[in-house]
Amino acid sequence: MIECKNITKIFNQNRHNEQIALKNINLKIKKNELTVLRGASGSGKSTLLSLIAALSRPTKGEIIVDGKRVSKMLENSTAMFRRENIGFIFQKYNLISTLNSYENIILPTIPSNPNEKELTRHVDTLLEMFSITNKKESLVKNLSGGEQQRVAIARSLINNPKIIIADEPTANLDKKLSLEFIKTMQKLKQQNRTIIIATHDPLFFNLNFCDNIIEMKDGHI
Amino acid sequence: MFLTPEIIAIYTLNIIFLFFSIFAFIISINIVMHWNVNRTDERQYGLEKKSILVATIIKFIFILKLPLFIFFVFTANKISGVITGAMCAAGVVNSISFGLWLFVFKILNLFIFGFWIALHNMDTKDEQLSLTKLKFSIFIVAFMLLVIEIIYEISFFSSLNIDKIVSCCGTLFSVASSSSFSFIFNIPSSIAIGFFYLIFSLLVVFSFLKNEPLFLVINIIFFITALISLILFFGTYIYELPTHHCPYCFLQQEYYYVGYLLYITLFIGTFSGISGSILSMLNRKNRKDFYKKSLLFNSIYVAIVTAYPIVYYIKNGVWL
Amino acid sequence: MKINHYLIGFAISSLFRRDAKSFFIIFIFTSLIFLLSSILFISNSIKEELFITLDSLPQITVQKLQAGRHANIEISRVDKLLKLNGVQSAIPRVWGYYYFENAGVNFSIVGIDSFDKQYKKNFEELVENIDFDELEKNDSMIVGEGVKEILSQNYYKDFFNFVKADGELKKIKISSVFKSSTVLESNDIILMPKNLVLDIFGMSKLKVTDIVLEVANPQEIPTISQKIKNLFPDTRVITNSDLRVSYQNIFDYKSGMFLALFVVSAFTFFMIIYDKASGLSSEEKREIGVLKALGWKIDDIIKIKFYEAFIVSFISFLLGIIVALFFVYILQAPLLRDIFMGYSRLKPAFELPFILDLQTIFLLFFLTIPIYIAAIIIPSWRVAIMNADEVMR
Ligand SMILES: Nc1ncnc2c1ncn2[C@@H]1O[C@H](COP(=O)(O)OP(=O)(O)OP(=O)(O)O)[C@@H](O)[C@H]1O
Ligand SMILES: [Mg+2]
């Protein structure tokens, strides 16, 4: 499903502040696996995730996702690729704080001009699933951390993605909410999705439904 | 030289168009020279982003050019009040030797810019962007045409002369005229009308046959015959005057602006036929609904022009 | 193609979310459109008013030219002109401008004559109502309202001393004041018997200022004026439609000058917008990064920016026009109309007639909205191509 071949990522190449974030990474993740990327801060987890999601391109090497060479795609196609395949849960949630939950959840679908009825139904099921139905109209900035987290998950699922990428999803949550998040991930895995979670939260390190744990250090695996 | 507010507006927009299209032109040359989808270097990615800018600029220009065309006719009509002898836009346009060419370029450019956007929309649906080189080569040509049009337009307004007495449309569009139009008055109107309806029936047939090259050609011919028969025959029924052949006067209020309706339906009908056929030939997967659209609008056009003589006959019991 | 109302909704909501910025732009743009539309509305109205005045002007005016300048014409020519086919009447006119130094204004003095048919309908009524012989006997005159006002400001309550061509003073009584009708020009007019006018201006009794003709069939005006030219090669023949053309030119020229100024300010505006559209807060940048990460294409972002620009400019457009309509037609355009009325302080005493045509709206549209949109093309594109991977940091 996801394959990284000899990936190197260098920031600010050939400049005084050159930064090698990833070095020669080789990686294979199969369909419907849950992978945990662990490593200290600055070890390159987020960088790797953004390469897989085609948000940026590797300096060297090749990434193949679902048969597509995403590392070589043109910008336009990468957007379509993300829209159709990837669900994102960001480190800081990256919700738009001045929009309400509903508006945040539908963001990924807007450019493809969704059918209103189907969309509303889909959003309602998601809101129900994460028990935030009563927060549908609330501005995101007025929600608690846990609620924001759930809005972010709902948003990552609105396009029915095959792959879910979560970057430090529990960094701002207490233990109870983190455990809840883990349960949700388990559910999502049961729905045949491929999941990658980058984290240094020890709660993730001995999950029974986790398929791979990849340890990162200074851009190496 | 004249400096009416309308002309200043047209100049200002022309300057804006010129500025942006020169920008787009330079990028286009770059794209035509260096575009290569298989390359994965920064330059290729940069070109892709720039191509989006060019497309945005072209859309901007085209969307403004549509209403500007009408505004140009408006302006010419207004100036006709100041130029002795001119009664409508025709007199003004023909008071300058290249006035007619300005018009031809305006229409041509509308077709080309419109076609470019249709081509672009088709191209962006393709992951490989395989038409990109073609698209930008076409724009390089379109740019030249646009520049010619703008030069024509600026020199047109600056050489308008209010002291010169010009002919009005009544004499311009007549057998005796020596203008560039006059050759069409040698065509007997019965033949022109017969030909017009013949071409239209072929257009109907071809739209069911769904053969792109035939449909393309028939649309071009239809556009030309429609204009000729409009001047020769249908126009006289709009004015209810057997000698008035002007293709501009019916854009005026006295005729309920029917000219705009006629020209717009004719434009949409033939444009969608022509561009749809070309796009379909380029890409087999292209949607085929342009046949219907073209047929619909061309039929509306035919229905309106046909209605004029028939209503006249019913009211008066005779033909003009 | 289906309209994507989610995208439009998103554009509207992002305008609201940045209300201070949107408000600032709407405010500037509205003021600009207001100024421009006021200028066009005023000039249209004055033009309209002038054309109404023109309709009451003579169809043909014959003037003599000497050394390329306007000279007085022999009265004997009237009979010769009357003999031309198609000429219904020929009236000699005596008139001129009198500069009143104390107030710094010009009066138009028009000579009247009870025997001559009056060339202007409004004067006709006046002449009938007023006892002409009385005027003649008492050396008196009839003045327009504006003239009356200026004179009384200078303590001339019921007479005025004209300085004649030879330097002597001529005392003339004010017998009455006539109401200016809507006509733009009648406010500065003084009517008095022809002989008095000749006396004040020191003109020969055998000459008049010009001769105006009435023609039975307006279609013949060009032919007749050609004939007059042949008959008297030293004359200038002005027809009604000539005047209309030159008035239209003057006004188009005047509003053209304003427009040229406007274009300059519009480009300043362009720069402001360019700057505003380029300078994004880090919050906005992050937002666009998020959208791109969620699968929005460059095109989608540009579309949003265009919708925003169109909404902003359209709102400003409507607001600007509405405020201008109110300013021009309800408040009668204080300050601005003076610029258009030109030289004489006596002129402005009429209501601007209401005219609003599609063409002016069209014109306003093309002079404003495209400029705004053009200003945001490149900044929007720059914003839209920003790298999205920042959102992962
Ligand atoms: N756009 C960039 N420009 C320059 N350096 C960058 C950029 N993005 C990341 N880096 C550097 O690359 C290295 C890896 O960063 P990355 O964000 O992938 O780490 P991480 O493992 O996600 O850390 P954390 O746990 O703190 O999120 C860091 O040293 C970082 O400073
Ligand atoms: Mg990180």
Side-chain angles (χ1 to χ4, degrees), chain C residues 264-283:
Chain C
V264 175
S265 49
F267 272 95
T268 322
F269 175 71
F270 186 103
M271 297 318 289
I272 295 175
I273 296 303
Y274 190 95
D275 190 56
K276 281 273 154 194
S278 317
L280 288 190
S281 65
S282 60
E283 178 60 27

Side-chain angles (χ1 to χ4, degrees), chain A residues 42 45-47 91 167-168, chain C residues 392-393:
Chain A
K45 304 183 295 289
S46 301
T47 307
Q91 191 158 4
D167 191 8
E168 314 266 6
Chain C
M392 296 293 283
R393 306 247 280 153

Side-chain angles (χ1 to χ4, degrees), chain C residues 190-321:
Chain C
I190 298 177
L191 298 178
M192 60 175 84
K194 262 187 188 163
N195 288 335
L196 286 178
V197 181
L198 292 175
D199 192 21
I200 290 174
F201 289 143
M203 285 165 61
S204 146
K205 300 246 181 231
L206 293 176
K207 290 196 173 171
V208 292
T209 314
D210 54 22
I211 301 170
V212 297
L213 305 184
E214 219 178 297
V215 173
N217 178 2
Q219 302 256 290
E220 286 181 46
I221 293 180
T223 8
I224 292 181
S225 60
Q226 197 53 47
K227 275 190 210 158
I228 300 172
K229 272 241 166 82
N230 295 339
L231 188 62
F232 303 117
D234 64 344
T235 54
R236 171 162 64 192
V237 183
I238 302 164
T239 65
N240 205 341
S241 61
D242 287 342
L243 284 175
R244 176 181 290 265
V245 169
S246 64
Y247 269 130
Q248 168 130 18
N249 273 334
I250 288 169
F251 271 90
D252 280 345
Y253 184 74
K254 264 203 177 175
S255 31
M257 293 309 290
F258 276 106
L259 234 69
L261 284 179
F262 171 80
V263 170
V264 175
S265 49
F267 272 95
T268 322
F269 175 71
F270 186 103
M271 297 318 289
I272 295 175
I273 296 303
Y274 190 95
D275 190 56
K276 281 273 154 194
S278 317
L280 288 190
S281 65
S282 60
E283 178 60 27
E284 280 170 86
K285 275 188 195 149
R286 193 186 63 96
E287 192 177 306
I288 286 162
V290 173
L291 294 178
K292 288 186 78 176
L294 294 178
W296 288 41
K297 292 191 280 191
I298 294 178
D299 247 357
D300 299 320
I301 311 268
I302 294 180
K303 259 187 213 152
I304 284 289
K305 294 281 159 199
F306 266 73
Y307 287 146
E308 285 179 16
F310 189 75
I311 294 166
V312 162
S313 51
F314 199 69
I315 290 176
S316 315
F317 185 69
L318 289 182
L319 275 180
I321 288 184

Side-chain angles (χ1 to χ4, degrees), chain B residues 69-95:
Chain B
F69 186 79
I70 297 174
F71 185 66
F72 175 82
V73 178
F74 253 34
T75 306
N77 264 331
K78 186 187 163 195
I79 295 173
S80 69
V82 182
I83 292 190
T84 330
M87 274 157 51
C88 69
V92 177
V93 168
N94 286 290
S95 73

Side-chain angles (χ1 to χ4, degrees), chain A residues 9 11-12 17 19-22 39-49 91 167-168 198-200 216, chain C residues 389-390 392-393:
Chain A
K9 177 73 182 177
F11 287 105
N12 304 321
N17 55 352
Q19 171 86 38
I20 303 174
L22 296 174
S41 182
S43 56
K45 304 183 295 289
S46 301
T47 307
L48 182 58
L49 291 185
Q91 191 158 4
D167 191 8
E168 314 266 6
T199 183
H200 46 226
M216 289 194 71
Chain C
D389 61 336
E390 290 289 314
M392 296 293 283
R393 306 247 280 153

Side-chain angles (χ1 to χ4, degrees), chain A residues 76 83 92 94 98 107 110, chain C residues 4 286 295-297 393:
Chain A
N76 214 0
R83 196 185 292 179
K92 295 164 200 144
N94 273 332
T98 42
L107 282 180
I110 287 180
Chain C
N4 188 341
R286 193 186 63 96
W296 288 41
K297 292 191 280 191
R393 306 247 280 153

